[in-house]
Amino acid sequence: MPQTGPLSALTDDQTGREGRPANRTVATVENTPQTTATAEAPPQPATAATNATASAEEHASHTATPEEPAPHATAEPSPVTHTNPVTKELAHRTTDTDVFPTRWSRISDTRFRFTAHWPAAHPFFGPVDDRHQDPMVVGETLRQASMVLAHAEFGAPADTHFVMWDLTVFADPSALLLSDAAEPVEIDVVCSEIRRRGRGLASMRTTMEFRRAGRFVARGTGSTGCTSPLAYRRLRGRQLAAADTPVPLLPGIAPELAGRSRPEDVVLAPEDHPAGRPDDHPGVWLLRVDTGHPVLFPRPNDHVPGMVLFEAARQAAAAASGHRPFLPRTMTADFARYAELHSPCRLETELLDKDPEEVTVRVSGRQDGETVFTATLTSARTAGVRSLP
């Protein structure tokens, strides 16, 4: 079940739930990387984790809040002697401007440190208002950094298909300020639940803590798996064959309702009701799939990527709650199966809690009578400014 509270502090020994097989059919899979992914940064498998399964994450009793963040996980790290550049191939992006992690270094076999840059302006991950950066950039940075490590540190080949099983982000919106955008973001990473397939990677969990100038900004965790091209073709052969079939582009809802500024970034469409009244089912929308969107679909795909579903959940929560701006403080998502391109996906929302301080919305996506994903988002009221000195 999604967790609605903040994540526990990063620890080396994270014990908990067992990892799942990477070729499991109930998952959502990320885009296949370009074949040059390992040309600039060859894989360096973590030797201590070979043929071993790292323990999973334990959620400690002490949890973080914006006023009292969890202890910094790497207060006394080993000296960093070498850093590696992040390429767009390793991060599974097609343009450099869409790559947020910039460099990384190894602290130990399962601990790493990244530097990232969250720009003040971006075609998709832009500001949500005139003061705050988009909290969704935390989840996208976590996704990119996880795949960088999978390729360059844990031996996942360049043509690996990545599976996203879950994603949780806890952010302090008051620390996500446009005025601080020039300040680099430091990310401490712990890899756990590591499952090997030979010398390569089958699956792992990454847990990350994000700071600016030593100040807590966000924490996130996600579980991913790796599937070989051969196994993926066996699993998704029919869908791969239909990947070139055009997907009808549905009309989007008003951008301001979805918390967006541009119509092309809206991923919600009004549900088509026989009676012709869009208010027959308030809080219900259809997923709007634009396979030509340069950020959401940087490459051809045979399904809807997990981050598109994550964004759809955020937009549905914004539309259902009416919060302006919708600044997610916590976001959790569990993915149950592939979201297919050529079948309507219905998004249903439920307001769990609404008061002057915050609102919590549960979003579920259903397709062909089956649950595709569930998400829970809590948005705080507009946060006070805590700019860096």
Side-chain angles (χ1 to χ4, degrees), residues 31-82:
N31 295 330
T32 306
Q34 295 180 353
T35 56
T36 57
T38 55
E40 300 181 46
Q44 304 169 19
T47 56
T50 304
N51 298 322
T53 301
S55 53
E57 178 184 8
E58 178 182 19
H59 294 282
S61 58
H62 178 75
T63 56
T65 66
E67 295 75 24
E68 186 184 14
H72 194 21
T74 55
E76 298 179 359
S78 302
V80 176
T81 58
H82 177 69

Side-chain angles (χ1 to χ4, degrees), residues 263-292:
E264 57 265 38
D265 294 332
V266 173
V267 296
L268 301 182
E271 190 177 38
D272 185 17
H273 300 288
R277 299 194 306 273
D279 58 345
D280 284 350
H281 297 88
V284 176
W285 295 272
L286 295 178
L287 182 66
R288 180 177 185 262
V289 177
D290 181 3
T291 56

Side-chain angles (χ1 to χ4, degrees), residues 13-313:
D13 180 19
Q14 298 183 343
T15 57
R17 65 185 181 186
E18 181 181 355
R20 288 170 283 185
N23 61 354
R24 180 184 176 101
T25 59
V26 286
T28 186
V29 181
E30 297 302 315
N31 295 330
T32 306
Q34 295 180 353
T35 56
T36 57
T38 55
E40 300 181 46
Q44 304 169 19
T47 56
T50 304
N51 298 322
T53 301
S55 53
E57 178 184 8
E58 178 182 19
H59 294 282
S61 58
H62 178 75
T63 56
T65 66
E67 295 75 24
E68 186 184 14
H72 194 21
T74 55
E76 298 179 359
S78 302
V80 176
T81 58
H82 177 69
T83 62
N84 309 280
V86 174
T87 66
K88 62 181 184 293
E89 292 83 12
L90 286 171
H92 288 218
R93 304 306 302 185
T94 55
T95 62
D96 290 328
T97 55
D98 292 341
V99 178
F100 301 129
T102 57
R103 303 190 70 85
W104 89 94
S105 58
R106 178 193 286 232
I107 304 299
S108 72
D109 286 341
T110 58
R111 299 179 72 94
F112 304 88
R113 176 166 293 166
F114 279 78
T115 300
H117 176 226
W118 293 338
H122 186 270
F124 187 79
F125 294 98
V128 295
D129 57 15
D130 59 356
R131 290 194 304 169
H132 297 91
Q133 293 188 278
D134 188 353
M136 296 293 285
V137 76
V138 178
E140 175 62 15
T141 304
L142 186 150
R143 185 189 74 88
Q144 292 181 19
S146 297
M147 290 187 294
V148 169
L149 293 178
H151 286 307
E153 295 285 355
F154 291 95
D159 54 0
T160 298
H161 293 259
F162 286 89
V163 181
M164 182 185 295
W165 287 317
D166 60 78
L167 182 62
T168 297
V169 171
F170 170 75
D172 179 3
S174 69
L176 281 165
L177 299 179
L178 289 172
S179 58
D180 298 334
E183 184 73 23
V185 179
E186 300 296 327
I187 311 168
D188 288 322
V189 184
V190 171
C191 299
S192 61
E193 301 181 34
I194 301 167
R195 298 178 63 250
R196 291 287 189 176
R197 183 179 292 112
R199 290 184 58 84
L201 182 67
S203 62
M204 72 174 178
R205 174 174 295 279
T206 51
T207 303
M208 305 187 187
E209 186 165 285
F210 303 76
R211 290 178 177 265
R212 270 180 172 150
R215 177 180 295 171
F216 175 83
V217 175
R219 186 176 293 110
T221 186
S223 179
T224 58
C226 306
T227 306
S228 70
L230 180 61
Y232 193 72
R233 283 195 298 270
R234 289 197 300 264
L235 192 66
R236 302 280 297 167
R238 180 172 59 85
Q239 291 83 1
L240 287 169
D244 293 334
T245 304
V247 179
L249 183 60
L250 302 177
I253 67 173
E256 57 270 20
L257 295 179
R260 305 297 309 192
S261 59
R262 305 190 311 168
E264 57 265 38
D265 294 332
V266 173
V267 296
L268 301 182
E271 190 177 38
D272 185 17
H273 300 288
R277 299 194 306 273
D279 58 345
D280 284 350
H281 297 88
V284 176
W285 295 272
L286 295 178
L287 182 66
R288 180 177 185 262
V289 177
D290 181 3
T291 56
H293 194 288
V295 177
L296 297 179
F297 282 85
R299 303 183 186 90
N301 213 331
D302 65 292
H303 62 277
V304 181
M307 285 305 294
V308 178
L309 301 180
F310 206 45
E311 172 65 19

Side-chain angles (χ1 to χ4, degrees), residues 273-355:
H273 300 288
R277 299 194 306 273
D279 58 345
D280 284 350
H281 297 88
V284 176
W285 295 272
L286 295 178
L287 182 66
R288 180 177 185 262
V289 177
D290 181 3
T291 56
H293 194 288
V295 177
L296 297 179
F297 282 85
R299 303 183 186 90
N301 213 331
D302 65 292
H303 62 277
V304 181
M307 285 305 294
V308 178
L309 301 180
F310 206 45
E311 172 65 19
R314 190 268 291 271
Q315 293 189 19
S321 66
H323 261 217
R324 303 290 185 272
F326 191 87
L327 280 167
R329 179 172 58 81
T330 61
M331 301 176 283
T332 70
D334 284 302
F335 303 98
R337 59 192 303 112
Y338 298 107
E340 307 296 352
L341 295 173
H342 302 97
S343 182
C345 183
R346 192 171 192 257
L347 303 176
E348 304 171 354
T349 60
E350 178 185 2
L351 268 66
L352 302 182
D353 187 21
K354 185 174 183 179
D355 59 44

